[in-house]
Amino acid sequence: MATSTKSNPGNFFEDFKPGETLIHATPQTVTEGDIALYRALTGNRYAQYSSAEFAKAAGLPGLCADPLHAFHIVFGKTVPDISLNAVANLGYADGRVLRPVEPGDTLRASSEVIGVKENSNGKTGVVWVRTKGVNQRGEEVISYVRWVMINKRDEASPAPEAIVPELPAAVAPADLVGFPEMKAWPFAQSGSRHVFEDYEVGEKISHVDGMTVEEAEHQIATRLYQNTAKVHFDAHGQKASRFGKRLVYGGVVISIARSLAFNGLENAGQILAINAGTHVNPLFAGDTIYAWSEVLAKAELSDTCGALRLRLVAVKDADPGAFIHKDGAGKHDPRVLLDFDYWAAIPRAR
Amino acid sequence: MATSTKSNPGNFFEDFKPGETLIHATPQTVTEGDIALYRALTGNRYAQYSSAEFAKAAGLPGLCADPLHAFHIVFGKTVPDISLNAVANLGYADGRVLRPVEPGDTLRASSEVIGVKENSNGKTGVVWVRTKGVNQRGEEVISYVRWVMINKRDEASPAPEAIVPELPAAVAPADLVGFPEMKAWPFAQSGSRHVFEDYEVGEKISHVDGMTVEEAEHQIATRLYQNTAKVHFDAHGQKASRFGKRLVYGGVVISIARSLAFNGLENAGQILAINAGTHVNPLFAGDTIYAWSEVLAKAELSDTCGALRLRLVAVKDADPGAFIHKDGAGKHDPRVLLDFDYWAAIPRAR
Amino acid sequence: MATSTKSNPGNFFEDFKPGETLIHATPQTVTEGDIALYRALTGNRYAQYSSAEFAKAAGLPGLCADPLHAFHIVFGKTVPDISLNAVANLGYADGRVLRPVEPGDTLRASSEVIGVKENSNGKTGVVWVRTKGVNQRGEEVISYVRWVMINKRDEASPAPEAIVPELPAAVAPADLVGFPEMKAWPFAQSGSRHVFEDYEVGEKISHVDGMTVEEAEHQIATRLYQNTAKVHFDAHGQKASRFGKRLVYGGVVISIARSLAFNGLENAGQILAINAGTHVNPLFAGDTIYAWSEVLAKAELSDTCGALRLRLVAVKDADPGAFIHKDGAGKHDPRVLLDFDYWAAIPRAR
C-alpha cells in the first residue's frame, strides 16, 4: 500500500485566490495557565496584565491576555494554511486590537486573501491576507493584514492578475477602540509616574536590560500559541537550511522586546493597534535581545487616556543606546532584529 | 549521630508480593495551568483538548486533560514505589481510558502487584503491576498494566514462585468506553475532513514534522507529572551511568510523537485505550523526534463514532517516511524510539 | 534630542533613608497557572501544595501557593528598587509566613528601610529592609528582613549615621502562626508515616536525589516571579562580569533544594517561618543541586501539630551525604550553595 497522503503539504502560491477565506484549525481556549506561561516566557510586567485588581482599576474587565499574546495565538493558527511554504514573512499592517481576551475565551482565526502578486522570477509570489481572530461569541478581538512570500507549486503555472491592497501607514487615532477610562490609574503600583504629557514626539528611550533566549524557551512559547512552523522546532531538518539551525519565531522577539520596554514605558502597557512590523534579521538561541523605543506620534483619546505611537526596535548582542542616534537607527546593521510600530494607551495628567 | 534513614531507598524485587497493593504518594490536582503547560511542552493541537467549545461539540464535558497527560500523571506517582531501582521499563498493556479528567479533578494512584518472575541471572526480576488512577470521587479514570525489570536487594534471596499474568494483545473494541457522540463534530475547525471511513487498515501515514527536545523541556514536563526518576534530572550522577548523560522520560517521547501525529490524524484526537508500548531506544536532549503511524484495525463503536487502532512509531534524526516500508519498520534500527499501539475515537461519515 | 532618562537606573546606597517605605511595582495575581509552573520548575511534591483535597484535609483552605513561591513573588517585586545596584545579597532573617496565598489572590510588596551602614572602603554600604507582601484585602501574607550590599552613587558623599537593626537568630516558636489543625492528615497519600515525634534534634538527612538546572529553567522561574535582575538573563552583558556568565537566582536554589528535601521530610511540607538564609556560592546553569537537612530544634505547637526547625544545605555536583559529617558541614567548600534555616509544620503522633 502506498504511503498515505493525509498529512498537510501546505498551500502554495497558486492556491491563494483573492476574495477566498480560509478557516484555520484548532480553536484555543485561553486560560490563566496561558497567562502565567506568557509572563514566565517573556518577562511581562505591565501591571494591567499582571494584577486582576490593577486591571479593573485600569478599566479592563479583569486579568486579561496581553494583546500581543492574543496576536500570537491568532497568528499561530494561520501557519498551516498560510506560511508552511513561505520563503519570508514580509510585514504586518493595520493591526487592530478590538476586545480584551479574558481567561475562558476561545479564539478562532480565519484569513481572507486580499492580494496576490507573482514575483518576476516566476518562482515565488507575494500573498496578502487579512486575518481575524474571534472569540466564542463570534466577536472580533484582533484583526491584521500580513503579507508573505510563498513558493509556487509549479513554476510553469501562469501568473494571476496582480492585486496589491492599499494599506495605511498607521491606524488613524480616530480608529483606535477599546481604550479604557484611566481616571483611577494606580500610579504607586505601576512602576512610574510618567504620563502622556511627559513624552515628546521624537523622544528615544533605551530600555537598558537584555534577555538571552534559549532553544527551550522559544520552543515552549511558540507551542503555547500552537504555531508549529518547522523552522522553529526541527534542529535535524534545519541542518540543511540556509542558517543550519532553528530560527526563533519573530513573535518571541516582539514580546520580549516589548517586555524590556517596560523600563521607561511602564504606564503604556496596553497596546491598541499594530501599525507595522518588520523582522529585519533572524534571532537564534543564545542571542541576547535588547530594545529601544521612539515616540513617533501622540493622540488624545479622551480626558483621561492618551495614546503614544511607538517604534520599538530590537537589537541583539549590542548596547541599544548605541543604535538610537545612528542614521536610520542602524537599520542595515545585522544586529537589528525588529522594527515594530504600534499605538499604546497611557493615562493623561490629572 | 548516624545519618538518618528516612529518605526512600525504593523497593527491590523481593519487596513485590503478588496480590499486594501499593498506594502511591502525592495526589495531584489537575488545573488549566497543567493543560496549558502540557500544550506548550508537547505541541498538542487536537481540537477537543484545545478548545472548551470544541470539546463540548465533540461530546466531552469541556476542556479536559489529554488522556496521555492523565497517563503521565498517574505513571509519575508510581515511580518512587515501583521503578526507583528499575533496570528497564519493559512494556505497557491493557491500558483503559475510563473517564475524562477535568480541571479541578485530583488524581491518586495505586498499583496491585499481579506478577513476579526472577530472571535466570539471579540478580534481577520482572514485576507486573496493574496501576489505577482515580479522581477525588474515587472513580477510575485510567487503568493499565506495566512491567519492569528490577534489581534484587540481595542476590542470595530465594526466587519467588513465578506468576506471569496473561495480557491481551489489545483492548477489545467491545471494552472501549468513554467514546463520545460525534454527530456535531466541527470539521471546519479540526484541521481535516478525514473521517473513520477514509482510513484503511494497513494505511501508513508519515507525519512529516520534527521536534527537537531540549534538557529544560523534558525536565519541566517530567516534573509537571511529578515523576522524579533521577535518570531524567541528575546530569552529575548520570556521568557514571551507561549513557553518561540524562535520559528523556519515555512519556515525553509518546506525547511529542502523538502531537506530531496530528498532521494526518487530525480528527482522531481522543485516545480510548493503550494496547501496548515499547521504548525501543532511549532519547537524549538534542535529538529530533519524527513519527509515522499505521492503521492496525478499525471498529465501529456507534452510528457517529468509530475507533482506529493505530501504531505510532517514533524515530530520531531521520525521515519517518523512510522507515515506513522497511522490513519490520526498521525495528532493529537504533534510531527507532517508540512502538506504541492505541485506540482513538474518530467521527464517522454522516 | 537627547536620550530619554525615563528608564530606571535603580537606587544607590545614598537613596536609602531609614524609616522610609518604598512601594514596589507590579502587583501580581497568583493563579493555578502559577502553581502548575512552580511545580514543573521545582519538582515540588509536598502533598498539601499538590492536591486540593489533601490541602483541605491538612487544614488549608484549598490548593495554595507554596510559601516559598509567595516569598519569591514578593522578593521579585523588590529587585528594581532595592537590589538593581547591589553588589551582594547578604542574608535574610525573621521571615514570617502569615497567611496562605490562594489562586486569585493578588500580591503587592513594600519595603521599609530599617538600617544603613557604610562600609569602611567608602564605596559601598549595607542596607537592611523589612519587606512585606500583602494580598488584595491588605492582609499581610509574608514579611521578612533582608540585607544587601549596595554601591554608592558618589564615593564623596558623606556616610550616614549607622543604624544596624537587631535581628533574632530564629523566629520564636510562640510567634509561629498559620499552622493548621493536622488531626485528619492523610498519611497514606503523603509519601511517609514519619511524624514530629520521629525526628530528633541533631538528626541529619541526606536527600539523595540531584537536579540539574538549565538556563531556560531558571530564567522561566525567575520571570514567573517578575524578578528581572539582569545578572540572571543577560548572557551578553554578563560576559564582562566577574563570572563571565549568567548567575542563577538564589531563590531557584532554595526551591529546588526544598523540593529535593521531600525525600525524608514528606510530612513537613508547610513552611511557617524563614529564620535565616545565606547564598554561600553561586549556581550556574549545568550544575546539579543536591541537598541535606539537619533538625536544629523542635517545638510543640498544638495537640496535632509540631514544628521542626530545619537547616537545609544545598551543594552542587557532589554527594550530599559526604558533607553531612564534615566540620562546619564543609561551609568553606566552594560546592556549598545555600545554608537555609526555617520552621516547618508536621503532624504529631496520634
Side-chain angles (χ1 to χ4, degrees):
Chain A
M1 182 177 290
T3 302
S4 165
T5 55
K6 289 199 175 66
S7 24
N8 172 25
N11 288 313
F12 289 86
F13 180 67
E14 297 92 324
D15 299 319
F16 293 93
K17 308 292 182 197
E20 281 191 4
T21 294
L22 297 94
I23 295 173
H24 306 301
T26 312
Q28 183 179 334
T29 302
V30 181
T31 69
E32 290 179 344
D34 291 81
I35 294 174
L37 261 164
Y38 183 80
R39 171 166 23 86
L41 291 163
T42 65
N44 201 11
R45 285 189 290 157
Y46 295 102
Q48 70 268 65
Y49 298 110
S50 174
S51 158
E53 277 69 31
F54 194 108
K56 286 171 201 160
L60 292 168
L63 192 65
C64 293
D66 189 289
L68 286 178
H69 186 175
F71 172 79
H72 299 326
I73 291 172
V74 171
F75 183 99
K77 307 294 168 264
T78 71
V79 167
D81 300 316
I82 305 294
S83 46
L84 218 57
N85 299 303
V87 182
N89 194 14
L90 297 173
Y92 314 108
D94 201 27
R96 290 147 189 259
V97 177
L98 298 166
R99 265 182 191 77
V101 175
E102 296 183 76
D105 281 355
T106 298
L107 300 185
R108 289 179 286 126
S110 62
S111 298
E112 183 188 355
V113 181
I114 61 168
V116 290
K117 184 170 185 297
E118 186 167 306
N119 286 325
S120 53
N121 63 13
K123 297 177 181 176
T124 57
V126 178
V127 174
W128 285 259
V129 293
R130 158 70 68 184
T131 296
K132 291 180 179 177
V134 301
N135 65 21
Q136 71 282 5
R137 291 180 297 274
E139 299 162 343
E140 274 188 54
V141 299
I142 203 156
S143 166
Y144 64 92
V145 172
R146 172 190 178 209
W147 58 107
V148 287
M149 192 186 302
I150 297 180
N151 281 316
K152 289 177 73 176
R153 182 180 281 110
D154 176 6
E155 292 186 22
S157 60
E161 186 190 356
I163 300 179
V164 178
E166 281 196 45
L167 296 168
V171 176
D175 289 338
L176 298 175
V177 298
F179 53 86
E181 163 62 49
M182 286 173 147
K183 194 165 57 181
W185 192 261
F187 285 98
Q189 296 167 30
S190 70
S192 165
R193 297 271 162 191
H194 297 302
V195 294
F196 177 74
E197 286 76 6
D198 296 323
Y199 291 85
E200 285 179 71
V201 173
E203 182 172 352
K204 293 174 178 180
I205 306 166
S206 169
H207 301 304
V208 183
D209 306 314
M211 195 162 282
T212 306
V213 178
E214 301 295 322
E215 298 281 14
E217 293 172 332
H218 76 82
Q219 293 196 151
I220 294 172
T222 308
R223 283 186 299 244
L224 181 68
Y225 318 132
Q226 297 183 318
N227 176 337
T228 57
K230 62 184 76 172
V231 294
H232 310 314
F233 296 106
D234 182 351
H236 179 75
Q238 286 298 106
K239 279 184 197 159
S241 74
R242 179 179 155 208
F243 297 108
K245 53 188 172 180
R246 283 166 280 179
L247 271 69
V248 175
Y249 164 49
V252 166
V253 178
I254 296 174
S255 282
I256 290 179
R258 172 71 178 146
S259 293
L260 293 170
F262 176 82
N263 196 348
L265 290 167
E266 292 85 348
N267 289 318
Q270 186 181 341
I271 292 182
L272 298 175
I274 294 170
N275 298 312
T278 310
H279 296 289
V280 185
N281 285 292
L283 184 85
F284 305 103
D287 292 345
T288 303
I289 301 176
Y290 298 83
W292 62 273
S293 294
E294 178 179 358
V295 181
L296 297 177
K298 297 176 64 173
E300 297 175 3
L301 301 181
S302 76
D303 284 352
T304 63
C305 176
L308 300 179
R309 183 176 163 199
L310 293 159
R311 179 188 185 191
L312 173 64
V313 181
V315 299
K316 69 176 171 186
D317 298 343
D319 173 12
F323 280 80
I324 285 182
H325 300 293
K326 285 196 181 184
D327 279 349
K331 72 178 170 187
H332 298 297
D333 190 306
R335 294 171 297 178
V336 175
L337 300 167
L338 173 76
D339 205 330
F340 194 72
D341 178 338
Y342 66 101
W343 283 105
I346 186 166
R348 298 189 60 185
R350 294 170 196 176
Chain B
M1 183 178 290
T3 302
S4 166
T5 56
K6 291 199 174 68
S7 26
N8 172 26
N11 288 313
F12 289 86
F13 180 67
E14 297 92 325
D15 300 318
F16 293 94
K17 309 291 182 198
E20 281 191 4
T21 293
L22 297 94
I23 295 172
H24 307 301
T26 311
Q28 183 179 335
T29 302
V30 181
T31 68
E32 291 180 343
D34 290 82
I35 294 173
L37 261 164
Y38 183 80
R39 170 166 24 85
L41 291 163
T42 65
N44 200 13
R45 284 189 290 159
Y46 295 104
Q48 69 269 65
Y49 298 111
S50 174
S51 158
E53 277 69 32
F54 194 109
K56 285 171 201 160
L60 292 169
L63 193 65
C64 293
D66 189 289
L68 286 178
H69 186 176
F71 173 79
H72 300 326
I73 291 172
V74 171
F75 184 99
K77 307 293 168 265
T78 71
V79 167
D81 300 316
I82 306 294
S83 46
L84 218 56
N85 300 303
V87 181
N89 193 14
L90 298 173
Y92 314 107
D94 201 29
R96 290 147 188 260
V97 178
L98 300 165
R99 263 183 193 77
V101 176
E102 296 183 76
D105 281 356
T106 299
L107 300 185
R108 289 179 285 125
S110 63
S111 298
E112 184 188 355
V113 181
I114 60 169
V116 291
K117 185 169 185 296
E118 186 166 306
N119 287 326
S120 53
N121 63 13
K123 296 178 182 174
T124 57
V126 177
V127 174
W128 285 260
V129 293
R130 160 69 70 184
T131 296
K132 291 180 179 177
V134 301
N135 65 21
Q136 70 282 7
R137 292 180 298 275
E139 300 162 342
E140 274 187 55
V141 299
I142 203 156
S143 166
Y144 64 92
V145 173
R146 173 191 178 207
W147 57 108
V148 287
M149 192 187 302
I150 298 179
N151 282 316
K152 290 178 69 176
R153 180 180 283 107
D154 176 6
E155 293 186 22
S157 59
E161 185 191 358
I163 301 179
V164 177
E166 281 196 47
L167 296 169
V171 175
D175 290 339
L176 297 176
V177 299
F179 54 85
E181 165 60 49
M182 286 173 147
K183 194 167 57 182
W185 192 260
F187 285 98
Q189 297 167 31
S190 70
S192 166
R193 297 270 163 192
H194 296 302
V195 294
F196 177 74
E197 287 75 7
D198 296 324
Y199 291 86
E200 285 180 69
V201 173
E203 183 173 353
K204 294 175 177 177
I205 306 165
S206 169
H207 301 304
V208 183
D209 306 314
M211 195 163 282
T212 305
V213 178
E214 301 295 323
E215 298 281 13
E217 292 171 333
H218 76 82
Q219 294 196 148
I220 293 172
T222 308
R223 284 186 299 243
L224 181 68
Y225 318 133
Q226 296 184 318
N227 177 336
T228 57
K230 63 184 75 172
V231 295
H232 309 314
F233 298 105
D234 182 351
H236 179 75
Q238 286 297 106
K239 280 184 195 159
S241 74
R242 178 178 156 210
F243 296 108
K245 53 188 172 180
R246 283 166 281 180
L247 271 70
V248 174
Y249 163 50
V252 166
V253 178
I254 297 174
S255 283
I256 289 178
R258 172 71 177 147
S259 292
L260 294 171
F262 176 83
N263 195 349
L265 290 167
E266 292 85 347
N267 290 317
Q270 187 181 339
I271 291 182
L272 298 174
I274 295 170
N275 298 313
T278 310
H279 296 289
V280 185
N281 285 292
L283 184 85
F284 304 103
D287 292 345
T288 303
I289 301 176
Y290 298 83
W292 62 273
S293 294
E294 178 179 358
V295 181
L296 297 177
K298 297 176 65 173
E300 297 176 1
L301 301 182
S302 76
D303 284 351
T304 63
C305 176
L308 300 179
R309 183 177 164 200
L310 293 159
R311 177 188 186 193
L312 173 64
V313 181
V315 299
K316 68 177 172 186
D317 297 344
D319 174 10
F323 280 81
I324 285 182
H325 300 293
K326 285 197 183 185
D327 279 349
K331 73 178 170 188
H332 298 299
D333 190 307
R335 294 171 298 178
V336 175
L337 300 168
L338 173 77
D339 205 332
F340 194 73
D341 178 338
Y342 66 100
W343 284 106
I346 185 166
R348 298 188 60 185
R350 295 171 196 176
Chain C
M1 184 178 291
T3 303
S4 166
T5 57
K6 289 199 175 68
S7 24
N8 172 25
N11 288 313
F12 289 86
F13 179 67
E14 296 93 323
D15 299 319
F16 293 93
K17 308 292 181 197
E20 281 190 4
T21 294
L22 298 93
I23 296 172
H24 307 301
T26 312
Q28 183 179 335
T29 301
V30 181
T31 69
E32 291 179 343
D34 290 81
I35 293 174
L37 261 164
Y38 184 80
R39 171 166 25 86
L41 291 164
T42 64
N44 200 13
R45 285 190 289 158
Y46 296 103
Q48 68 269 64
Y49 298 110
S50 174
S51 159
E53 277 68 31
F54 195 109
K56 285 170 200 159
L60 291 168
L63 192 65
C64 293
D66 189 289
L68 286 178
H69 186 175
F71 173 79
H72 300 326
I73 292 172
V74 170
F75 183 98
K77 306 293 168 265
T78 71
V79 167
D81 299 316
I82 305 294
S83 46
L84 217 57
N85 299 303
V87 181
N89 193 14
L90 297 173
Y92 315 108
D94 201 29
R96 290 146 188 261
V97 177
L98 299 166
R99 265 183 191 76
V101 175
E102 296 183 76
D105 281 354
T106 299
L107 299 186
R108 290 179 285 124
S110 62
S111 298
E112 184 188 355
V113 181
I114 61 168
V116 290
K117 183 169 185 299
E118 185 166 307
N119 286 325
S120 54
N121 63 14
K123 296 177 182 175
T124 57
V126 177
V127 174
W128 285 259
V129 292
R130 160 68 70 183
T131 296
K132 291 180 179 177
V134 301
N135 65 20
Q136 70 282 6
R137 292 180 297 275
E139 299 162 343
E140 273 187 54
V141 299
I142 203 155
S143 166
Y144 63 93
V145 172
R146 172 191 178 208
W147 57 109
V148 287
M149 192 186 302
I150 297 179
N151 283 315
K152 289 178 71 176
R153 182 180 281 108
D154 175 5
E155 293 186 23
S157 60
E161 185 191 357
I163 299 179
V164 177
E166 280 196 47
L167 297 168
V171 175
D175 289 338
L176 298 175
V177 299
F179 53 87
E181 164 61 48
M182 285 173 147
K183 194 167 57 182
W185 192 260
F187 284 99
Q189 297 166 31
S190 70
S192 166
R193 297 270 163 193
H194 296 303
V195 294
F196 177 74
E197 286 76 6
D198 296 324
Y199 291 86
E200 286 179 69
V201 172
E203 183 173 351
K204 292 174 178 179
I205 307 165
S206 169
H207 301 304
V208 183
D209 306 313
M211 194 162 283
T212 306
V213 178
E214 301 296 322
E215 298 281 13
E217 292 172 333
H218 76 82
Q219 293 196 150
I220 293 172
T222 307
R223 283 186 298 243
L224 182 67
Y225 318 132
Q226 297 184 317
N227 176 337
T228 57
K230 62 185 76 172
V231 294
H232 309 313
F233 298 106
D234 182 352
H236 178 75
Q238 286 298 106
K239 280 184 196 159
S241 75
R242 177 176 156 211
F243 297 108
K245 53 188 170 179
R246 283 166 281 179
L247 270 70
V248 174
Y249 163 48
V252 166
V253 178
I254 296 174
S255 283
I256 289 178
R258 171 74 177 146
S259 293
L260 294 170
F262 175 82
N263 196 348
L265 290 168
E266 292 85 347
N267 290 318
Q270 187 181 339
I271 291 183
L272 298 174
I274 295 169
N275 298 313
T278 310
H279 296 290
V280 184
N281 284 293
L283 183 85
F284 304 103
D287 292 345
T288 302
I289 301 176
Y290 298 84
W292 62 273
S293 293
E294 178 179 357
V295 181
L296 296 177
K298 297 176 64 174
E300 298 175 2
L301 300 182
S302 76
D303 285 352
T304 63
C305 177
L308 300 179
R309 184 177 163 198
L310 293 159
R311 179 188 184 193
L312 173 65
V313 181
V315 299
K316 69 176 171 186
D317 297 344
D319 174 10
F323 280 81
I324 285 182
H325 300 293
K326 286 196 183 186
D327 279 350
K331 71 179 171 188
H332 298 298
D333 190 305
R335 293 170 299 178
V336 174
L337 299 168
L338 172 77
D339 205 331
F340 193 72
D341 178 338
Y342 66 101
W343 284 106
I346 185 166
R348 299 189 58 185
R350 294 171 197 176

